Amino acid sequence: MIDFFEKTLKQATYELKEGTNSSYYRQSGTTILPNRLSISKDNEMAKTALKGRNMMHQITGQMIGTFTKKETSILKQFKPYVCRTQIWQMDDYPLFIGYGTIGISNEKGRIDRNSDTGDLVVFYTPDRGKTIQIFFFPAMEKKLNEIMKFLSEKYLYKTDFPEAA
C-alpha cells in the first residue's frame, strides 16, 4: 500500500503572502489546486453546522481557492471554479494542521454535499504557517487513517521534504 500512496501523492508548497493572515500562493509542486488559496484558522472562518464529520474531528480552519481563467485542473469544472474544504484536526496526528476533502463548484455554481470529490488533502506547516505543505491524494478519503500514518512515518520525522512534483 505504501508504494501506491507514494505513486498517487501529489504535493505543493504554498507561501503566505506578506502582510496577510490567510492568503497563500503556490511556490512549487502540483497545479491541481488553485495558485492562490485562502487558508484560514478556526477563529477566522465562516460558521459551519455541527453535524456529520464536523462532530467527529475538531475544525481547525478552511481552505478556499478559485481558479483563474488561465489555470487548468481536473477540479476546475463549473463556474465560478471554486474548490474548498474544512480542515479537521486528528488527535492522533497533532503535528499536522489537519486534513480535508475537496468540494468543487457544481453546475449551479454552488458547493454542496454532492460536490465532494473524495480527494484527500493533508496540511502541514514546518514554520508556524509561513509555508504550508499540502499533500493531495486523489479519491483517497476512505484511506484517511492509513495515509496519515504513511505521511507521519515518511515525512514528519525527517528534517526535509522531498521536492514537490
Side-chain angles (χ1 to χ4, degrees):
M1 191 60 99
I2 290 172
D3 287 342
F4 180 69
F5 290 159
E6 287 177 346
K7 288 181 174 135
T8 58
L9 168 63
K10 297 178 186 324
Q11 297 175 230
T13 300
Y14 284 77
E15 188 171 305
L16 183 65
K17 181 180 178 187
E18 193 172 322
T20 69
N21 291 327
S22 60
S23 186
Y24 287 84
Y25 286 87
R26 183 177 46 252
Q27 295 303 305
S28 62
T30 184
T31 59
I32 200 157
L33 295 171
N35 183 51
R36 182 188 162 279
L37 295 174
S38 175
I39 302 174
S40 59
K41 289 131 188 103
D42 57 352
N43 59 348
E44 301 168 343
M45 63 185 201
K47 298 291 181 203
T48 56
L50 289 177
K51 57 185 179 180
R53 201 171 5 188
N54 291 341
M55 295 192 61
M56 289 178 19
H57 296 124
Q58 177 183 347
I59 300 172
T60 60
Q62 290 179 337
M63 181 211 78
I64 302 171
T66 303
F67 291 100
T68 63
K69 287 183 181 181
K70 292 182 181 181
E71 290 179 281
T72 59
S73 171
I74 194 166
L75 300 176
K76 183 180 174 184
Q77 294 183 16
F78 302 103
K79 286 183 179 181
Y81 307 119
V82 174
C83 69
R84 71 182 304 152
T85 184
Q86 302 284 15
I87 301 172
W88 294 281
Q89 174 72 55
M90 287 184 72
D91 292 338
D92 291 343
Y93 300 97
L95 296 178
F96 288 99
I97 296 169
Y99 76 95
T101 58
I102 298 294
I104 59 173
S105 47
N106 61 21
E107 306 87 26
K108 296 178 182 176
R110 296 189 317 228
I111 296 177
D112 58 27
R113 70 177 51 171
N114 297 320
S115 302
D116 197 304
T117 63
D119 298 331
L120 180 66
V121 285
V122 179
F123 300 85
Y124 172 75
T125 181
D127 54 15
R128 297 182 176 230
K130 184 176 183 264
T131 60
I132 293 182
Q133 184 79 24
I134 300 176
F135 301 97
F136 183 94
F137 293 89
M140 296 272 207
E141 173 185 13
K142 293 190 181 343
K143 296 288 184 192
L144 172 63
N145 290 320
E146 294 95 328
I147 286 173
M148 294 301 283
K149 184 176 190 288
F150 161 75
L151 287 174
S152 65
E153 290 174 357
K154 179 127 179 119
Y155 296 111
L156 281 192
Y157 301 109
K158 293 184 175 184
T159 57
D160 61 325
F161 283 91
E163 187 62 34

